[in-house]
């Protein structure tokens, strides 16, 4: 529905508890995402709005606090588990279509996996991505699908594509935040932040054409803002923050805590 309205130039304000919808908006790049700060210990809103970040849905926790019977809450959680299992089986069947020779079938499979995929199909998507060195439209669809699934196994692929042509670097930067924000690996977070800062440095040093450098720099700053909640006008500002041991340690602890 959002894509349909976007194609027609309609302005939409949407509030949702659905994680796939949040990640869709963050990965697409055409939407401004924001979250209201929420105290997870007291289950109370703090009435401060944060742009370029995602909030956690506390629906079941709030239901329990408001007195919804425990058996109802447990049934809801069990239902979610059953749906997840059924979805996983369907996604595996879709992933098998990535090996079809017909590009229309492959496109259909990737689009479906992008909307509904789970971690079980990541190996197939990664294998398919390795064959797409020069097929940019399909590369874009695969990266968006991997970003929405949010599996840490996809991060190395994203990082390996951050040093090539500007168009692909920009695509990686746009898709990276929704992926890494669901990852708890300290090593992957360290490599990702370093990689994004390096992209910003390369753009400021003129690695690509002037227009491409401006685009990469803009996307790198946005990715850093989404990942860190901080504004970095220049690469030197980001590098100074990242090289400060206390700042870096505090940030990594916050992002990688269970």
């Amino acid at each position: 529905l959002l894509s349909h309205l976007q194609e027609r130039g309609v302005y939409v304000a949407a509030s949702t508890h659905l994680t796939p919808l949040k990640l869709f908006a963050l990965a697409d790049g055409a939407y401004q995402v924001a979250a209201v700060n929420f105290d997870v210990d007291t289950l109370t809103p703090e009435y401060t709005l944060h742009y370029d970040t995602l909030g956690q849905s506390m629906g079941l926790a709030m239901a329990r606090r408001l007195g919804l019977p425990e058996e109802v809450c447990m049934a809801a959680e069990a239902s979610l588990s059953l749906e997840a299992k059924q979805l996983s089986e369907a996604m595996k069947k879709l992933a098998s279509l990535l090996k079809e020779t017909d590009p229309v079938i492959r496109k259909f499979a990737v689009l479906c996996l992008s909307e509904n995929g789970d971690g079980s199909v990541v190996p197939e998507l990664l294998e398919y991505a390795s064959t797409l060195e020069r097929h940019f439209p399909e590369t874009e669809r695969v990266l968006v699908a991997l970003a929405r699934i949010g599996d840490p196994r996809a991060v190395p692929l994203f990082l390996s594509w951050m040093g090539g042509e500007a168009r692909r670097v920009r695509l990686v930067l746009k898709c990276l935040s929704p992926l890494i924000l669901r990852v708890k690996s300290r090593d992957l977070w360290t490599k990702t932040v370093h990689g994004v800062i390096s992209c910003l440095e390369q753009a400021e040093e003129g690695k690509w054409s002037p227009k491409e450098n401006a685009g990469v720099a803009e996307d790198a700053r946005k990715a850093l803002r989404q990942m860190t909640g901080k504004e970095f006008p220049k690469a030197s500002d980001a590098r100074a923050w990242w090289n400060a041991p206390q700042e870096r340690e505090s940030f990594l602890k916050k992002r990688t805590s269970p």
Side-chain angles (χ1 to χ4, degrees), residues 194 197 201 235-248:
H194 171 74
I197 295 175
E201 290 172 334
S236 57
D237 299 325
R239 184 60 70 186
W241 167 77
W242 186 241
N243 286 343
Q246 189 172 357
E247 290 277 1
R248 183 172 65 247

Side-chain angles (χ1 to χ4, degrees), residues 55-106:
Q56 180 182 2
S57 175
M58 306 297 293
L60 281 174
M62 289 295 295
R64 281 191 168 95
R65 179 181 178 180
L66 294 173
L68 194 68
E70 181 61 23
E71 59 268 23
V72 177
C73 294
M74 292 180 65
E77 291 174 337
S79 175
L80 289 174
S81 298
L82 176 60
E83 290 177 1
K85 182 179 179 180
Q86 293 172 333
L87 180 61
S88 178
E89 293 173 352
M91 291 304 102
K92 288 180 180 178
K93 292 180 180 179
L94 277 172
S96 68
L97 298 178
L98 294 174
K99 297 181 180 180
E100 291 285 338
T101 57
D102 189 335
V104 175
I105 294 178
R106 294 198 306 267

Side-chain angles (χ1 to χ4, degrees), residues 3 46-47 58 63 69 71 74 88 92 114 137 148 165 170 178 185 224 253:
S3 297
E46 297 182 348
Y47 303 105
M58 306 297 293
E71 59 268 23
M74 292 180 65
S88 178
K92 288 180 180 178
S114 175
R148 291 178 182 169
E165 59 179 306
R170 294 193 65 185
S185 165
L224 286 170
K253 184 177 181 180

Side-chain angles (χ1 to χ4, degrees), residues 44-63:
T44 55
E46 297 182 348
Y47 303 105
T48 53
L49 190 64
H50 294 276
Y51 288 95
D52 296 313
T53 188
L54 302 178
Q56 180 182 2
S57 175
M58 306 297 293
L60 281 174
M62 289 295 295

Side-chain angles (χ1 to χ4, degrees), residues 26-227:
L26 184 58
D28 186 273
Y31 304 94
Q32 173 65 67
V33 297
V36 175
N37 206 31
F38 199 83
D39 190 319
V40 296
D41 295 320
T42 63
L43 296 179
T44 55
E46 297 182 348
Y47 303 105
T48 53
L49 190 64
H50 294 276
Y51 288 95
D52 296 313
T53 188
L54 302 178
Q56 180 182 2
S57 175
M58 306 297 293
L60 281 174
M62 289 295 295
R64 281 191 168 95
R65 179 181 178 180
L66 294 173
L68 194 68
E70 181 61 23
E71 59 268 23
V72 177
C73 294
M74 292 180 65
E77 291 174 337
S79 175
L80 289 174
S81 298
L82 176 60
E83 290 177 1
K85 182 179 179 180
Q86 293 172 333
L87 180 61
S88 178
E89 293 173 352
M91 291 304 102
K92 288 180 180 178
K93 292 180 180 179
L94 277 172
S96 68
L97 298 178
L98 294 174
K99 297 181 180 180
E100 291 285 338
T101 57
D102 189 335
V104 175
I105 294 178
R106 294 198 306 267
K107 178 181 177 180
F108 167 77
V110 173
L111 290 175
C112 290
L113 293 170
S114 175
E115 295 296 330
N116 302 295
D118 61 22
S120 65
V121 300
V122 167
E124 287 82 359
L125 284 169
L126 291 175
E127 181 181 358
Y128 179 49
S130 67
T131 69
L132 300 177
E133 184 68 24
R134 305 301 302 176
H135 300 279
F136 188 78
E138 291 191 56
T139 300
E140 180 175 12
R141 286 191 286 269
V142 172
L143 290 186
V144 169
L146 289 168
R148 291 178 182 169
I149 293 171
D151 191 290
R153 289 173 292 180
V155 176
L157 172 70
F158 279 61
L159 297 180
S160 71
W161 284 0
M162 289 176 67
E165 59 179 306
R167 184 171 63 164
R168 192 162 69 172
V169 171
R170 294 193 65 185
L171 174 60
V172 170
L173 289 170
K174 290 176 180 177
C175 295
L176 190 57
S177 295
L179 170 60
I180 196 63
L181 286 170
R182 300 177 68 178
V183 172
K184 293 297 182 181
S185 165
R186 181 187 179 92
D187 180 59
L188 291 179
W189 263 103
T190 300
K191 292 177 179 177
T192 297
V193 175
H194 171 74
V196 176
I197 295 175
S198 295
C199 283
L200 181 56
E201 290 172 334
Q202 292 171 32
E204 291 185 355
E205 292 167 359
K207 177 175 181 177
W208 301 281
S209 72
K211 184 177 180 179
E212 290 173 334
N213 287 326
V216 170
E218 178 184 357
D219 292 335
R221 292 189 192 98
K222 184 174 182 179
L224 286 170
R225 183 169 67 250
Q226 292 172 336
M227 291 187 292

